Amino acid sequence: VHMLEIYPMRAETPEDDALAKYAKCLDAGWRAFEMSGRTGHSLVAVPQTFKGWGNWKRYPTREEIRAATFVSLACRARGIAYYTYFATRGEGFMSTPERKAEMFEVSSELGEMAPSLALPDAKEQPKVEILSGPRANLLGGASVRCLLKADGLLVAANTSHLPVRARLTLPDGRKIVHDFPRNGVLRCGR
């Protein structure tokens, strides 16, 4: 298991390419495994849940943390880890009751999905058709990423900085049309 720390939120205001950076980093990690010929390895994503050290000017919002978590899952992260980082200095997610509550909400949702996330991916993945909005994010990757698990859990996320309307065609022929706002995610099944 390899942990991939992804901390793209550095400015005082939201960056348009933050979620695209999550997807790009995870894709690069999986490509590195494939190129090295290693099999059986897993990536655990560590989304940013802190500010500090002078490099990270603000704490990510609950919506940004949730979106980063879903992007990581949609990009095949096999686990999620959240670090607290300097809670005593007011920079980590344990530093205020409000931040703790937000992280409890996000991690509780993740916990509800855990039985499905432990299963293999579905052999055939959904096809994504962009109906409106950008087809690619600001770094050239797909604007909507999704992952279908063997038991039917579907997670999807918008990596674009703009709203996207997408049609997801599942292997059984069902179609889901979803409007993804900025930081928008989708969870279906389980």
Side-chain angles (χ1 to χ4, degrees):
V1 173
H2 299 272
M3 295 182 80
L4 188 55
E5 298 178 32
I6 310 169
Y7 306 147
M9 299 174 200
R10 294 179 177 260
E12 292 178 7
T13 57
E15 296 93 334
D16 287 343
D17 63 354
L19 293 177
K21 286 179 180 176
Y22 279 98
K24 185 173 183 174
C25 286
L26 284 154
D27 289 346
W30 286 114
R31 266 194 314 279
F33 286 153
E34 290 165 8
M35 288 173 46
S36 70
R38 291 187 261 174
T39 60
H41 289 266
S42 293
L43 288 174
V44 172
V46 185
Q48 182 180 342
T49 58
F50 65 90
K51 68 172 186 167
W53 295 290
N55 292 325
W56 296 277
K57 309 290 186 210
R58 67 181 179 88
Y59 185 83
T61 67
R62 176 199 174 280
E63 290 75 24
E64 288 171 325
I65 293 169
R66 184 172 182 257
T69 299
F70 271 71
V71 167
S72 298
L73 294 173
C75 292
R76 300 185 299 141
R78 298 305 186 209
I80 303 290
Y82 301 114
Y83 290 159
T84 60
Y85 287 117
F86 297 115
T88 57
R89 293 187 352 204
E91 296 177 344
F93 73 77
M94 296 294 285
S95 59
T96 69
E98 295 80 16
R99 288 183 184 152
K100 280 191 227 180
E102 290 174 352
M103 286 306 301
F104 180 77
E105 286 177 34
V106 174
S107 59
S108 292
E109 184 177 12
L110 188 58
E112 291 169 5
M113 295 186 290
S116 296
L117 296 173
L119 296 173
D121 298 345
K123 288 186 183 357
E124 189 179 341
Q125 290 297 308
K127 297 191 180 15
V128 179
E129 179 186 359
I130 304 303
L131 303 175
S132 65
R135 291 182 178 356
N137 62 38
L138 291 175
L139 301 180
S143 60
V144 173
R145 300 292 299 262
C146 63
L147 177 71
L148 181 65
K149 299 301 286 184
D151 69 346
L153 174 71
L154 172 67
V155 294
N158 178 8
T159 67
S160 171
H161 66 296
L162 296 171
V164 175
R165 181 177 180 90
R167 179 178 17 245
L168 308 177
T169 303
L170 302 180
D172 65 6
R174 286 183 296 139
K175 296 180 186 314
I176 299 170
V177 175
H178 189 73
D179 292 310
F180 291 90
R182 179 186 173 114
N183 294 326
V185 301
L186 171 67
R187 172 185 165 195
C188 295
R190 281 222 22 109

